C-alpha cells in the first residue's frame, strides 16, 4: 500500500508552502506544530518535515523542528540543510525516523557514503530535479546528472530515494509519473514521490506505481489548499 507523508515545511518558524521550492513564494499556514498534530490526528503514518531556512542557508528552525518531532507518535522524515556531522547529529537527535540528504549527496559524496554505511535506512537521499539535472542548496544550484548520481548512491548502499520534480512542486499540476517510472526502472531501492499531487486521482495513480517501486507519496499544497482531506487520501490509497 502507498504510504502517505503529509508535509510541514518550516520557514521563519511558520508552516509555509512554496511554488517550485522558490524562496519568496511562501504562503503561510501558521504554527507548524498545530499542522503536524492535525495530520497525526487525521491518521497520517508519517510526517515529512522540512527546515526550509536550513535548506536555503538563511538560518535554521532547529528548536521548532525538534519540538514538532517530540510531539509526534508517528514516523518523521526530516529534510533541509542536513549537510555535515553537526546538522546530521542534530537531526538524528530529534528522534526522527530518518533524514533526507540533498545537497550533501551532490557536494560531499564521500561524507554521504560514510553516513549511509553508518546509519543505513535512517538515511534517504532526496533527488530533486529539473528535467534530469539535480538541484542542491535549496534547489537553487545545478548538481549533476540524476542517473549518474543514482547509480553511485546505489553502489554505496543508499536505502531509499525521495524524488521531486521541482517544476511540479507546490503547483497542484499532478506528479511526474514518467520521471518516477524511469527512476524506479533505474534502481531497486524504494522511491518516495514528492511534488505536484493535486487530487485523489493523482494518489491513485501513484498507488498504481507501488509494484514498480514507489513506496510513498509526500503531499503538501493539496492538503493545505483543501483539495481533499487526509482521511480521504488514506482511504483512496487503501485499496
Ligand atoms: O525538502 C527540501 O529539502 C526542500 C528544499 C528546498 C525547497 C523545498 C524543499 N522541500 C519541499 C517539499 O518537500 C514539499 O513539501 C513537497 O515536495 C510537497 O510538494 P507539494 O505536494 O507539491 O506541495
Amino acid at each position: 500500500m502507498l504510504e502517505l507523508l503529509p508535509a510541514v515545511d518550516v520557514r521563519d518558524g511558520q508552516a509555509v508552502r512554496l511554488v517550485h521550492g522558490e524562496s519568496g513564494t511562501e504562503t503561510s499556514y501558521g504554527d507548524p506544530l498545530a499542522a503536524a498534530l492535525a495530520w497525526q490526528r487525521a491518521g497520517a503514518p508519517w510526517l515529512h518535515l522540512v527546515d526550509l531556512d536550513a535548506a536555503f542557508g538563511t538560518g535554521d528552525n532547529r528548536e521548532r523542528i525538534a519540538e514538532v518531532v517530540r510531539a509526534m507518535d508517528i514516523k518523521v522524515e526530516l529534510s533541509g540543510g542536513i549537510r555535515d556531522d553537526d546538522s546530521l547529529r542534530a537531526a538524528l537527535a530529534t528522534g526522527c525516523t530518518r533524514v533526507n540528504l540533498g545537497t550533501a549527496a551532490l557536494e560531499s559524496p564521500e561524507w554521504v557514503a560514510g553516513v549511509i554505511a553508518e546509519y543505513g535506512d535512517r538515511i534517504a537521499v532526496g533527488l530533486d530535479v529539473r528535467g534530469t539535472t539535480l538541484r542542491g542548496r535549496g534547489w537553487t544550484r545545478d548538481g549533476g546528472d540524476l542517473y549518474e548520481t543514482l547509480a553511485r548512491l546505489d553502489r554505496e548502499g543508499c536505502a531509499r530515494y525521495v524524488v521531486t520534480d521541482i517544476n511540479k512542486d507546490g503547483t497542484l499540476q499532478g506528479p511526474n509519473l514518467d520521471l518516477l517510472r524511469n527512476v524506479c526502472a533505474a534502481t531497486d531501492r524504494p522511491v518516495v514521490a514528492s511534488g505536484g499531487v493535486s487530487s485523489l486521482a493523482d494518489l491513485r495513480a501513484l498507488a498504481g506505481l507501488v509494484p514498480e517501486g514507489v513506496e510513498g507519496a509526500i503531499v503538501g499544497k493539496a492538503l493545505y489548499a483543501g483539495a481533499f482531506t487526509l482521511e480521504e487520501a488514506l482511504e483512496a490509497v487503501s485499496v
Side-chain angles (χ1 to χ4, degrees), residues 7 9 17-18 21 48 50 52 55-56 79-81 100 128 138-139 164 168-172 194-197 218-222:
D9 294 11
R17 304 307 314 153
L18 305 178
H48 175 74
V50 184
L52 285 175
F56 290 128
S79 189
N100 189 29
D128 308 315
W139 302 355
T164 306
K168 298 279 195 173
D169 201 86
T171 66
L172 297 175
S194 188
V197 169
I218 293 169
V219 189
K221 186 86 166 259

Side-chain angles (χ1 to χ4, degrees), residues 1 4 42-45 200 203 229-239:
M1 194 172 90
L4 292 185
L200 296 176
L203 291 176
T229 65
L230 187 57
E231 290 88 340
E232 289 169 334
L234 291 164
E235 168 72 25
V237 300
S238 71
V239 284

